[in-house]
Amino acid sequence: MGTIVKDVTFKNDIPKGFLSDTHVSYISTYGKDKDDYEYCMTEYLRLSGIYWGLTTLDLLNNLDKLDKAEIISFVVSCQTDEGGFSPSPRHDCSILYTLSAIQVLCTYDQLDAIDVNKAIKYIASLQNEDGSFCGDVWGEVDTRFSFCAVASLALVGRLWTDCPINTKHCVEFIVSCMNFDGGFGCRPGSETHSGQVYCCVGALSILHELHHIDADLLGWWLCERQLPSGGLNGRPEKLPDVCYSWWVLSSLAVIGKMHWIDQESLKSFIIASQDPETGGIADRPGDMVDPFHTLFGVAGLSLMGQTNLKKINPVFCMPQYVIDRLAINVEILTI
């Protein structure tokens, strides 16, 4: 019995082009109504939501649509006594939101608005003896947190100078999460997943340790994530999702294999997932849009050279001009 491929089909009324103006409107007005149900129910994601929206608008050349002073003030209010950042005031801090806070402040060139040294100490406190990182005080270990630690320290300029973590053990833990298919899981022995691949490849890229990766083997696993619709999935037997237009594509870009997938059909999948009335991009055609998928759809298009978007860095998921300003050099494999 053959394998049944899970995929989506397009309706006849899908958008025909990239709707940049509607996306600017969608993101710039999102959250204006503080009593909106969706806004209230996503308080636990607020700081990351700001990063998603801000980065989307920056790529769309409309960063000025947001209130810079208000955003910086909110980010500052999220730094806790531990030094890390919470998604909103009165929530627990975690390394995930700490990275989001640093990404936002680096975009605005306003790192001096926070206590950077306290944030660095918080990040370092989450590393375990085996080199892995916990996400917060509760102790969950995941390769996502390894990426967050490495990326955060690189952005604040403390990964290569007076580094507070053991980078050798960090690399060893990431490599221990590599599987027979060339991909990575969240911990040793865990199933390969596109999101974890991005995190591990990204961390190794920042640390200039990509020689540990079998680029051909991993490249094949990643390009096999593309389905007949053009969309990419996170692992075998799953539906395509616009967010993997970033996780998969950026990983392929870092290992020099982006040409291994059909970029035109992927562009069509992202375009079909737009909402022409409200703006924004959904996980797949016909679903509800949200800021998360809007960013990663736009980021994927930027990576593929969409002409009316700023160039994005494939490792940090931030506009390339910000990474250039910070003078961060990541390792990228070439063909």
Side-chain angles (χ1 to χ4, degrees):
M1 184 176 179
T3 301
I4 299 175
V5 177
K6 296 181 179 179
D7 202 358
V8 299
T9 55
F10 299 165
K11 295 181 179 179
N12 292 327
D13 59 347
I14 60 172
K16 302 302 182 185
F18 181 53
L19 309 174
S20 58
D21 291 343
T22 60
H23 300 324
V24 170
S25 176
Y26 169 70
I27 292 294
S28 61
T29 58
Y30 187 87
K32 294 291 186 181
D33 181 1
K34 299 298 188 288
D35 294 323
D36 178 73
Y37 176 78
E38 181 181 350
Y39 182 83
C40 294
M41 292 302 292
T42 55
E43 183 178 86
Y44 70 101
L45 293 171
R46 187 77 70 241
L47 192 48
S48 289
I50 289 173
Y51 155 70
W52 301 332
L54 176 145
T55 304
T56 301
L57 287 177
D58 200 359
L59 292 172
L60 288 163
N61 298 286
N62 274 272
L63 184 59
D64 60 351
K65 295 289 185 181
L66 298 177
D67 187 325
K68 176 180 176 180
E70 181 182 0
I71 288 176
I72 293 172
S73 177
F74 179 81
V75 173
V76 170
S77 74
C78 291
Q79 187 166 28
T80 66
D81 292 338
E82 296 92 336
F85 287 79
S86 59
S88 293
R90 301 179 300 280
H91 286 252
D92 291 340
C93 61
S94 83
I95 201 167
L96 292 169
Y97 302 112
T98 300
L99 173 57
S100 293
I102 290 171
Q103 288 173 306
V104 169
L105 294 177
C106 281
T107 298
Y108 280 131
D109 197 16
Q110 292 289 320
L111 272 178
D112 57 356
I114 60 168
D115 191 328
V116 175
N117 287 327
K118 281 184 68 174
I120 291 169
K121 289 179 181 178
Y122 171 73
I123 293 167
S125 74
L126 295 173
Q127 188 173 31
N128 302 306
E129 289 186 7
D130 65 355
S132 66
F133 282 83
C134 297
D136 52 33
V137 69
W138 306 110
E140 179 188 6
V141 171
D142 191 306
T143 46
R144 289 179 301 155
F145 309 144
S146 298
F147 173 78
C148 289
V150 170
S152 295
L153 292 174
L155 288 169
V156 300
R158 285 290 297 275
L159 187 61
W160 303 278
T161 303
D162 195 20
C163 182
I165 66 171
N166 188 319
T167 56
K168 179 176 181 292
H169 288 172
C170 176
V171 171
E172 289 172 350
F173 176 76
I174 292 172
V175 173
S176 76
C177 297
M178 188 186 301
N179 292 319
F180 69 93
D181 52 20
F184 295 85
C186 58
R187 291 180 294 277
S190 296
E191 177 188 12
T192 295
H193 187 282
S194 299
Q196 309 300 145
V197 169
Y198 164 78
C199 291
C200 293
V201 169
L204 293 175
S205 170
I206 296 169
L207 292 163
H208 289 218
E209 294 279 354
L210 286 179
H211 61 274
H212 293 286
I213 292 174
D214 184 331
D216 286 346
L217 184 61
L218 176 57
W220 276 117
W221 188 89
L222 288 168
C223 71
E224 286 175 346
R225 305 279 58 78
Q226 189 163 38
L227 298 169
S229 65
L232 302 168
N233 63 16
R235 51 199 170 105
E237 303 304 315
K238 296 296 182 179
L239 286 170
D241 187 317
V242 161
C243 69
Y244 296 112
S245 303
W246 177 255
W247 312 122
V248 173
L249 197 65
S250 60
S251 300
L252 286 168
V254 172
I255 65 172
K257 307 294 184 185
M258 205 167 83
H259 61 292
W260 280 15
I261 67 164
D262 185 339
Q263 293 183 34
E264 290 305 313
S265 65
L266 176 56
K267 290 177 184 177
S268 296
F269 179 81
I270 298 172
I271 295 300
S273 301
Q274 301 174 112
D275 188 320
E277 295 182 3
T278 66
I281 303 175
D283 57 349
R284 56 188 64 93
D287 285 358
M288 290 289 291
V289 301
D290 59 72
F292 175 85
H293 290 94
T294 301
L295 167 60
F296 294 119
V298 170
L301 290 172
S302 172
L303 204 54
M304 290 185 283
Q306 180 77 26
T307 55
N308 53 345
L309 293 174
K310 288 181 181 175
K311 182 180 179 182
I312 195 164
N313 181 274
V315 174
F316 290 94
C317 197
M318 298 169 66
Q320 184 61 46
Y321 80 88
V322 178
I323 305 306
D324 289 342
R325 186 210 307 142
L326 296 170
I328 300 174
N329 294 312
V330 296
E331 182 183 12
I332 303 291
L333 300 182
T334 55
I335 299 173

